[in-house]
Amino acid sequence: DQQVKQNSPSLSVQEGRISILNCDYTNSMFDYFLWYKKYPAEGPTFLISISSIKDKNEDGRFTVFLNKSAKHLSLHIVPSQPGDSAVYFCAASVEYGGATNKLIFGTGTLLAVQP
Amino acid sequence: NAGVTQTPKFQVLKTGQSMTLQCAQDMNHEYMSWYRQDPGMGLRLIHYSVGAGITDQGEVPNGYNVSRSTTEDFPLRLLSAAPSQTSVYFCASRRGPGANVLTFGAGSRLTVL
């Protein structure tokens, strides 16, 4: 069963506009959420994260929102730039055997920012 | 540059062949892991290690072996490759088992014919 879901495989946005990427989860035990960005032929790189005790975290053009009651998080990119074109993975962390955290990833959303 | 290094970047195998994907990190991270990425499946955890001499299974461990003899290295072995193991493999590490942010390598694309 897919505990972390990204229901939009792709998203196209005009340069300068807002990009909103969505992620839903099912496990209420997740205590930390992350977004990763992946360019072709490269490994994923960490973008931004949020603890489950917060509802918003901002870093420059990137803001992550967490709605625990809806089990939903979203990544906002404002303004979008062509260099933001990549696959975005959301991930959720849960304790998995002692003090080990396990990251569970969504299936990814391909963002295309059109010049 | 500090980080996670994977070799090889590309490999083609025939069914039944064996091979090892190498992974090394120079950040003195305790925790290392292997993921595979498949279309529509996201990143799935194969095996992980919380320190030298300690390994454990992830979500999809069948067909793969790992060992961790040093802090720096975490090789992934395919003993008898199958077409279902055609995938992109990523090695990732983080500071400790309780940390959250993973640093990924650039990936190894494996094709099994």
Side-chain angles (χ1 to χ4, degrees):
Chain A
D1 63 333
Q2 194 74 24
Q3 297 186 63
V4 178
K5 299 178 183 177
Q6 295 178 256
N7 293 317
S8 298
S10 63
L11 175 67
S12 183
V13 171
Q14 287 294 117
E15 181 178 5
R17 307 295 288 269
I18 185 171
S19 296
I20 300 176
L21 296 98
N22 294 304
C23 182
D24 297 297
Y25 62 95
T26 57
N27 190 342
S28 58
M29 298 302 292
F30 289 142
D31 58 4
Y32 203 81
F33 301 88
L34 305 90
W35 284 95
Y36 278 82
K37 177 180 179 179
K38 184 186 179 304
Y39 291 120
E42 295 184 11
T45 55
F46 170 71
L47 186 59
I48 192 169
S49 62
I50 187 167
S51 166
S52 61
I53 62 173
K54 296 187 175 182
D55 55 19
K56 177 182 174 181
N57 188 28
E58 193 171 352
D59 184 2
R61 296 186 297 114
F62 303 91
T63 303
V64 57
F65 295 92
L66 176 62
N67 183 333
K68 286 184 66 177
S69 61
K71 294 190 175 68
H72 177 83
L73 71 156
S74 60
L75 174 67
H76 293 209
I77 306 174
V78 184
S80 301
Q81 300 174 354
D84 296 329
S85 297
V87 175
Y88 289 79
F89 291 100
C90 69
S93 176
V94 62
E95 193 171 303
Y96 178 78
T100 301
N101 291 342
K102 175 181 173 182
L103 278 188
I104 299 175
F105 286 83
T107 52
T109 296
L110 174 62
L111 173 66
V113 180
Q114 310 296 333
Chain B
N1 289 339
V4 179
T5 303
Q6 289 183 236
T7 56
K9 288 191 182 302
F10 302 95
Q11 183 71 48
V12 178
L13 290 178
K14 294 181 180 178
T15 296
Q17 287 185 317
S18 63
M19 78 155 300
T20 299
L21 299 177
Q22 301 290 346
C23 176
Q25 53 91 10
D26 58 2
M27 299 173 284
N28 202 30
H29 283 174
E30 290 182 15
Y31 179 99
M32 297 185 73
S33 55
W34 278 100
Y35 285 83
R36 59 178 288 174
Q37 183 194 4
D38 301 293
M41 303 293 287
L43 292 157
R44 293 182 293 168
L45 181 64
I46 304 171
H47 283 286
Y48 67 95
S49 168
V50 298
I54 307 169
T55 64
D56 207 345
Q57 297 181 351
E59 303 168 70
V60 288
N62 293 340
Y64 306 95
N65 276 357
V66 292
S67 60
R68 184 99 178 267
S69 56
T70 67
T71 301
E72 294 78 20
D73 300 299
F74 190 45
L76 179 72
R77 297 183 186 84
L78 286 72
L79 298 179
S80 179
S84 61
Q85 294 178 303
T86 293
S87 187
V88 181
Y89 292 86
F90 291 98
C91 180
S93 72
R94 62 189 191 209
R95 183 170 31 86
N100 285 299
V101 179
L102 281 169
T103 300
F104 282 85
S108 299
R109 181 175 291 274
L110 175 66
T111 301
V112 183
L113 303 176

